[in-house]
């Protein structure tokens, strides 16, 4: 009985997570320092820059997002790896057409970099 309850809770939380995902697109960049949020202080490589859509005057700095590739945006066949990645917002990408500009390392974890731009689903971590 206990196992059945645990399994049910896990399935429900997965469905809620998938249902609340935001769709958009992602690109990647390769120069991480300096950044709008942390200046010359590096923050690792699992990072991203926020587009104007959710930069919010810098309020996005330090927030974490889990990102998953959902498909191609430019004609590359099957760019997604099936993995997801959690990134920290460290920079602003003014004028970016994508919602997130991922580090090259984060992009490569979820998609083939040859794609350049991909469709994504993302959620802010609690």
């Amino acid at each position: 009985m206990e196992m059945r309850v645990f399994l049910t809770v896990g399935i429900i939380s997965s469905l809620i997570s998938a249902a609340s995902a935001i769709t958009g697109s992602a690109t990647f960049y390769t120069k991480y320092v300096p950044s709008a949020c942390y200046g010359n202080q590096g923050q690792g490589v699992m990072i991203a820059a926020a587009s104007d859509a959710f930069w919010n005057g810098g309020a996005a700095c330090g927030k974490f997002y889990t990102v998953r590739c959902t498909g191609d945006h430019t004609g590359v066949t099957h760019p997604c790896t099936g993995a997801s990645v959690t990134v920290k917002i460290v920079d602003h990408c003014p004028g970016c057409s994508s919602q997130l500009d991922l580090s090259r390392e984060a992009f490569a974890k979820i998609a083939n970099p040859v794609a350049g731009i991909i469709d994504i689903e993302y959620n802010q971590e609690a």
Side-chain angles (χ1 to χ4, degrees):
M1 177 66 173
E2 211 171 288
M3 181 61 150
R4 193 177 303 160
V5 170
F6 180 73
L7 183 59
T8 302
V9 169
I11 291 170
I12 290 170
S13 64
S14 292
L15 290 173
I16 290 170
S17 175
S20 63
I22 302 164
T23 60
S25 60
T27 52
F28 69 87
Y29 68 113
T30 57
K31 186 175 181 215
Y32 310 143
V33 176
S35 69
C37 299
Y38 299 98
N40 289 317
Q41 188 177 42
Q43 297 296 307
V45 295
M46 292 304 160
I47 56 174
S51 68
D52 293 329
F54 65 91
W55 174 246
N56 194 17
C61 288
K63 294 192 172 152
F64 289 88
Y65 289 86
T66 298
V67 184
R68 185 177 72 84
C69 175
T70 59
D72 171 53
H73 200 79
T74 59
V76 173
T77 306
H78 307 295
C80 302
T81 65
S84 63
V85 65
T86 300
V87 295
K88 180 180 182 180
I89 301 297
V90 301
D91 212 347
H92 181 209
C93 187
C96 276
S97 60
S98 62
Q99 281 74 23
L100 291 172
D101 197 18
L102 303 171
S103 66
R104 188 178 201 294
E105 292 84 352
F107 190 100
K109 186 168 181 182
I110 62 171
N112 181 346
V114 171
I117 184 169
I118 54 172
D119 294 324
I120 58 169
E121 288 182 345
Y122 61 97
N123 288 308
Q124 185 176 342
E125 296 294 305

